[in-house]
Amino acid sequence: MAVGGFAVDDNSRAFSGRVTASVVITCIVAASGGLIFGYDIGISGGVTTMQPFLKKFFPVVLRKAADAKTNIYCVYDSHVLTAFTSSLYIAGLAASLVASRLTRAVGRRNTMIIGGLTFLIGAALNGGAENVAMLILGRILLGFGVGFTNQATPIYLSEMAPPKWRGAFGTSFQFFIGIGVVVANCLNYGTAKISWGWRLSLGLAIVPSVIMTVGALLISDTPSSLVERGKVAQARDSLRKARGKDIDIEPELAELVKTSEAVKAANEEPFVTIFERQYRPHLVMAFAIPFFQQLTGINIIAFYAPVLFQSVGFGSDSALIASIILGCVNLLSIIVSTFIVDRYGRRILFLEGGTQMIIGQVAVACVLAVTTGVSGTKDIPRGYAVLVLVLMCIYAAGFGWSWGPLSWLIPSEIFPMKIRTTGQAISVAVNFATTFVLAQTFLTMLCHFKYGTFLFYAGWLITMTLFVILFVPETKGIPLESMYQVWERHWFWRRFVSLP
Ligand code: BGC
């Protein structure tokens, strides 16, 4: 099998990796952990453009919006509003680092339950908010919830899935994020018409949190996590359910026990271990993958699309419809990745998706430059606005089958057991930190760089596509316990990893 220009033994048949009904159901339930993150992304974008919400909590933004009408790029350039949206990411960042220990100590499933419950309390606080303090406190709790679940869920999926189909199972997390976004957008479409609609939108976040928490209560933890916590008998049951009754699960269990014993014997601090030279490739990926995912500009496109369409006279309804269309395109493309990721691999998706996004961003920049003028004061003719929407869909599809799902999948599958939860925690923290920094800067950037903002992200997309070509090995089909091989055979990373 070719892996980024070199070969790796196909170990996928080392353990019987059949897809059973039980493992499918379990993983779908677990993946619903993505719902709360997606719902929040979708809701917060919409709520912060609702007049009654702004009037109650951020009246200064409304005044500013009235003044800035002439320039489509500067309408929402408000630091207070950005601080509100971003408080979730700072809380999530802190939570994901704590979650590393929690996920190891109490298991993946229990961390998901804790995350779901914290999110639920945050949602209730937000729905009933009477002042900014309640709003921010609620948002911090939502952040903790998302931090925990984003840390534990991708690991859960990777450990539970049969190696041969791990990619497909992994993409389901992003699929649920996508569902959350679309549902939230549709809901905002309805609630925007009610004066207290923002309460409904924020409060209804309770629903996805109940769905995921109850779901998590019904599933068992992953065999790896159970073994890690000394529950070998339960791990055997979990593995038998996942792999099927007629499959000999003992070799896979023995491998997990062996790895876990080695980890315990070494008794190392994972946050120190991950900085050892032999884990340099892992560490680089933990930082680079989520960092690059955010620099695709996905959240900026998602935020900007409704503003753009509204400002060119499509009306607020059409603006929301435009974001719903984008969300649906994104969802469909994630399904495409589910079918491709284990057949043709991760790299091909990264490369194709990346190229498609570069074309989309550059084209959007060109259309905006030509139609709105350098100052952004000219109106875009309707036909061109539709063209922008089409280009954004092309971009969203590219994201949906590449950096969207793969940014959760790759970090969950490349780390050896001893640094798995730590590596994933770093990765989630970097995702949140980058989202935070971009959110702080992008409205100002849009206001000053105007359509050039899209070229900025296109530049990053070129960089990350080159990074994938040179440094990201193919991981398709390789069991988690054999993943060290991909580094040993990589033209660059081989110098860091020691041969066993
Ligand atoms: C990203 C989010 C993004 C979402 C869009 C996730 O993978 O981490 O930042 O908003 O995809 O669907």
Side-chain angles (χ1 to χ4, degrees):
M1 184 202 310
V3 177
F6 52 90
V8 156
D9 300 336
D10 191 342
N11 287 352
S12 50
R13 267 161 262 116
F15 308 123
S16 304
R18 218 157 47 92
V19 176
T20 60
S22 166
V23 81
V24 172
I25 295 167
T26 307
C27 286
I28 290 179
V29 170
S32 72
L35 271 184
I36 57 170
F37 186 37
Y39 185 88
D40 183 79
I41 295 167
I43 282 296
S44 49
V47 162
T48 48
T49 58
M50 289 181 192
Q51 301 265 335
F53 175 82
L54 292 175
K55 208 166 144 200
K56 186 166 173 73
F57 299 107
F58 305 100
V60 63
V61 179
L62 273 185
R63 281 199 293 279
K64 180 130 191 253
D67 296 344
K69 275 258 154 55
T70 45
N71 183 334
I72 64 160
Y73 296 107
C74 299
V75 178
Y76 288 98
D77 185 11
S78 155
H79 293 299
V80 203
L81 205 55
T82 315
F84 160 72
T85 321
S86 304
S87 51
L88 176 135
Y89 292 100
I90 292 297
L93 193 161
S96 52
L97 294 175
V98 175
S100 156
R101 282 181 197 287
L102 200 68
T103 317
R104 214 150 20 106
V106 303
R108 286 65 167 134
R109 181 195 85 132
N110 292 341
T111 308
M112 285 156 63
I113 295 171
I114 297 171
L117 290 175
T118 320
F119 192 92
L120 197 149
I121 303 170
L125 258 179
N126 266 354
E130 275 309 323
N131 48 47
V132 178
M134 274 177 88
L135 208 59
I136 304 264
L137 182 64
R139 210 145 170 77
I140 290 174
L141 289 176
L142 297 184
F144 280 131
V146 172
F148 288 140
T149 48
N150 283 9
Q151 205 272 346
T153 313
I155 298 185
Y156 185 99
L157 294 170
S158 274
E159 289 182 342
M160 206 62 164
K164 216 174 154 206
W165 303 112
R166 189 177 57 239
F169 283 91
T171 59
S172 59
F173 181 62
Q174 179 72 14
F175 184 72
F176 274 95
I177 295 181
I179 293 188
V181 172
V182 172
V183 168
N185 280 334
C186 294
L187 206 74
N188 276 343
Y189 180 70
T191 58
K193 299 183 173 71
I194 314 170
S195 63
W196 51 278
W198 60 271
R199 280 200 193 280
L200 214 54
S201 284
L202 293 177
L204 280 175
I206 288 177
V207 177
S209 55
V210 167
I211 294 178
M212 70 140 295
T213 312
V214 172
L217 281 167
L218 299 176
I219 56 179
S220 71
D221 207 351
T222 69
S224 303
S225 176
L226 290 165
V227 167
E228 204 177 17
R229 290 183 288 135
K231 303 179 184 225
V232 178
Q234 273 171 263
R236 183 176 282 114
D237 283 348
S238 169
L239 206 51
R240 188 166 294 128
K241 257 195 244 151
R243 304 287 180 255
K245 288 202 171 47
D246 46 339
I247 298 281
D248 179 15
I249 47 136
E250 290 307 323
E252 188 172 354
L253 187 65
E255 184 70 30
L256 289 176
V257 172
K258 198 174 104 196
T259 315
S260 162
E261 275 165 6
V263 172
K264 283 197 187 116
N267 192 23
E268 291 159 5
E269 165 52 52
F271 270 105
V272 174
T273 310
I274 200 167
F275 285 94
E276 284 172 12
R277 184 179 160 84
Q278 56 173 323
Y279 297 118
R280 201 54 44 81
H282 307 76
L283 189 63
V284 169
M285 295 299 151
F287 275 92
I289 301 275
F291 175 73
F292 282 143
Q293 187 209 41
Q294 288 306 312
L295 280 158
T296 58
I298 183 65
N299 289 314
I300 276 77
I301 289 275
F303 179 88
Y304 187 55
V307 179
L308 177 76
F309 290 101
Q310 198 164 355
S311 59
V312 296
F314 268 44
S316 61
D317 273 5
S318 331
L320 272 165
I321 289 174
S323 31
I324 293 170
I325 294 176
L326 274 181
C328 291
V329 169
N330 180 44
L331 264 184
L332 288 177
S333 56
I334 298 167
I335 298 179
V336 172
S337 79
T338 307
F339 286 100
I340 293 184
V341 71
D342 293 310
R343 286 199 176 82
Y344 303 103
R346 285 66 164 147
R347 280 169 54 89
I348 185 85
L349 285 169
F350 267 132
L351 301 184
E352 200 288 328
T355 312
Q356 192 169 318
M357 282 192 279
I358 296 168
I359 297 170
Q361 293 274 35
V362 172
V364 167
C366 292
V367 176
L368 289 182
V370 170
T371 54
T372 64
V374 180
S375 56
T377 46
K378 281 196 242 157
D379 278 352
I380 307 182
R382 230 164 202 270
Y384 282 103
V386 173
L387 178 62
V388 172
L389 179 60
V390 171
L391 291 172
M392 284 185 172
C393 285
I394 292 176
Y395 166 89
F399 178 84
W401 58 57
S402 62
W403 285 91
L406 298 178
S407 304
W408 298 104
L409 175 64
I410 304 286
S412 74
E413 65 180 10
I414 55 168
F415 301 106
M417 193 195 258
K418 65 164 131 175
I419 52 167
R420 189 169 299 147
T421 62
T422 311
Q424 175 72 9
I426 293 178
S427 178
V428 176
V430 171
N431 184 310
F432 285 148
T434 320
T435 312
F436 174 78
V437 172
L438 292 185
Q440 294 300 312
T441 49
F442 111 87
L443 289 175
T444 312
M445 196 166 140
L446 192 64
C447 189
H448 294 284
F449 287 6
K450 305 185 171 70
Y451 59 84
T453 311
F454 296 98
L455 297 177
F456 169 82
Y457 288 107
W460 276 106
L461 275 160
I462 295 172
T463 313
M464 66 188 83
T465 306
L466 289 174
F467 176 84
V468 170
I469 293 175
L470 293 172
F471 300 116
V472 180
E474 183 56 69
T475 45
K476 124 180 137 107
I478 300 168
L480 298 182
E481 281 66 39
S482 311
M483 201 55 84
Y484 59 87
Q485 293 180 22
V486 304
W487 312 110
E488 281 174 8
R489 299 178 190 208
H490 189 274
W491 73 273
F492 181 76
W493 297 121
R494 67 193 331 160
R495 70 198 73 187
F496 291 91
V497 294
S498 49
L499 292 171

